[in-house]
Amino acid sequence: MRDTSAIIAAARTVVVLTGAGISAESGVPTFRGPQGLWRKFRPEDLATPEAFERDPRLVWEWYNFRRQCIAECAPNAAHRALARFALARPHVRIITQNVDELHTDAARDAAGTRDAAPAMPLELHGSIFRDRCSMCAFQRENRAPVDTSSLASLPRCEECGALLRPDVVWFGERLVPGVLEEAFEWAGLADLCLVIGTSGVVEPAASIASTTRATGGAVIEINPEETPLTRVATVSIRGTAVGEVGRLLAS
Ligand code: NAD
Ligand code: ZN
C-alpha cells in the first residue's frame, strides 16, 4: 500500500468526491446500506419526474420530511476538515452528490470573514433547500416546508405559474450540463481524487474517480464497506468519514 500522506503531500490538484456517507455521522440517512432510506421507500415512487407528474403532493410531502430532517443536522468533523483543507491549499475542488448543503455550511464556518468560495462544493445533484420551476429556469432558496394540504396549495412559479419542485436531480434526469463538465475537467486535471462515503453505483459520479485514475492520478477511498470504486482506488481505507478524513488530511 502506498503511503497516503505522501500521495496527499505530492498532489498539486485534488478533487474530493463525496456521497451520502459523509453526512451519515451528521444524522442524515444514506439511501443504501442498513439504515438506508430506500429500504423503507421506493425511489421510483418519490424521486422521479414521473412521480411528480403523477402525484406532486406525495413527492412534496417526502421532500418536506427530508428538508425537516436535514435542517436539524450540522456539518461533522469530516466536512469541517475538508473545508479547512480546501481553504488552505490552492487547487482543491469539493464535488458532492449530496443535496444537504453541509459542505456549504462547513465552508462558511471555516472561512469566517475570509472568502469561502474555494471550499464551496460543486453540487452534482442540486440542493434540497432550493425550489425550481418544473417548466422554466426560475429558482429560489427555500428552507421551509411547503403546504401540501391540496394540489392548489402547492407552490407555483412566480414567472410562469407552473408547479415548483425541489431543485434536486431525480432518477432518470440529466445533470446540469455545465456542472458535469466542470466536474470532469477537475477530475482529469487532478493528481488525487479522494472518494468519501459514496456507494459508487450512481453515474456519472462514479466515473469521476475513474477519470482521475485514467489520467494518471491516484484515488483514495474512504468507506466502511467495499464498493465498485474499491477496484479503481490506489488505496482503500475501511473506516468512517469522521474517523478517517481529519486524520488523513492532517497527516
Ligand atoms: P449511497 O446512499 O448510495 O451510499 C452511501 C455510501 O456511504 C455507502 O457506500 C456506505 O458504505 C457509505 N457510508 C455509510 N456510512 C458512512 C460513514 N460514516 N462514513 C463514510 N462512508 C459511509 O449514497 P451516494 O453514493 O451518495 O448516492 C446516492 C444518491 O443519494 C446521491 O445521488 C445523493 O444525491 C443522494 N443522497 C443524498 C443525501 C445527502 O444529501 N446527505 C442523503 C442520501 C442520498
Ligand atoms: Zn416557471
Side-chain angles (χ1 to χ4, degrees):
M1 192 204 278
R2 279 167 66 194
D3 180 57
T4 49
S5 36
I7 297 175
I8 295 170
R12 188 175 170 275
T13 303
V14 181
V15 151
V16 183
L17 175 65
T18 68
I22 195 172
S23 298
E25 288 157 285
S26 289
V28 183
T30 58
F31 279 180
R32 298 171 186 84
Q35 306 296 320
L37 291 168
W38 294 146
R39 293 174 77 90
K40 290 193 224 143
F41 303 95
R42 283 159 46 92
E44 55 271 31
D45 291 342
L46 297 162
T48 66
E50 293 77 23
F52 190 71
E53 217 160 280
R54 197 166 50 233
D55 194 347
R57 282 181 58 217
L58 177 71
V59 173
W60 264 122
E61 273 168 18
W62 161 248
Y63 279 93
N64 276 347
F65 166 71
R66 289 201 64 215
R67 238 176 217 180
Q68 196 183 358
C69 295
I70 293 174
E72 288 164 11
C73 299
N76 63 44
H79 297 104
R80 291 197 298 271
L82 285 171
R84 287 194 302 272
F85 181 70
L87 289 169
R89 295 181 49 144
H91 307 290
V92 177
R93 190 69 164 121
I94 299 170
I95 302 173
T96 191
Q97 298 167 84
N98 295 345
V99 296
D100 55 29
E101 294 199 8
L102 293 180
H103 284 299
T104 304
D105 293 346
R108 292 200 178 114
D109 290 349
T113 53
R114 284 180 296 162
D115 179 15
M120 292 299 252
L122 185 63
E123 293 172 329
L124 291 179
H125 293 164
S127 165
I128 202 156
F129 296 121
R130 279 194 309 265
D131 301 338
R132 75 169 159 87
C133 179
S134 52
M135 298 299 284
C136 77
F138 175 80
Q139 56 170 238
R140 65 171 190 194
E141 277 186 36
N142 187 13
R143 304 186 78 87
V146 312
D147 180 354
T148 58
S149 51
S150 73
L151 201 53
S153 70
L154 293 178
R156 294 208 165 250
C157 176
E158 289 168 21
E159 309 277 332
C160 75
L163 280 177
L164 291 181
R165 52 164 279 182
D167 188 13
V168 300
V169 177
W170 283 331
F171 290 90
E173 288 190 311
R174 292 163 64 94
L175 272 63
V176 178
V179 170
L180 200 56
E181 279 155 24
E182 186 180 342
F184 277 100
E185 199 174 312
W186 276 90
L189 288 172
D191 307 300
L192 168 64
C193 178
L194 269 179
V195 186
I196 305 164
T198 177
S199 60
V201 297
V202 179
E203 284 292 353
S207 306
I208 289 173
S210 350
T211 300
T212 298
R213 203 65 219 272
T215 49
V219 173
I220 299 177
E221 178 189 53
I222 297 176
N223 198 308
E225 287 171 29
E226 193 174 323
T227 76
L229 287 176
T230 304
R231 276 184 291 111
V232 177
T234 322
V235 180
S236 267
I237 300 172
R238 290 280 158 267
T240 74
V242 166
E244 303 297 335
V245 175
R247 190 163 47 162
L248 182 73
L249 298 181
S251 63

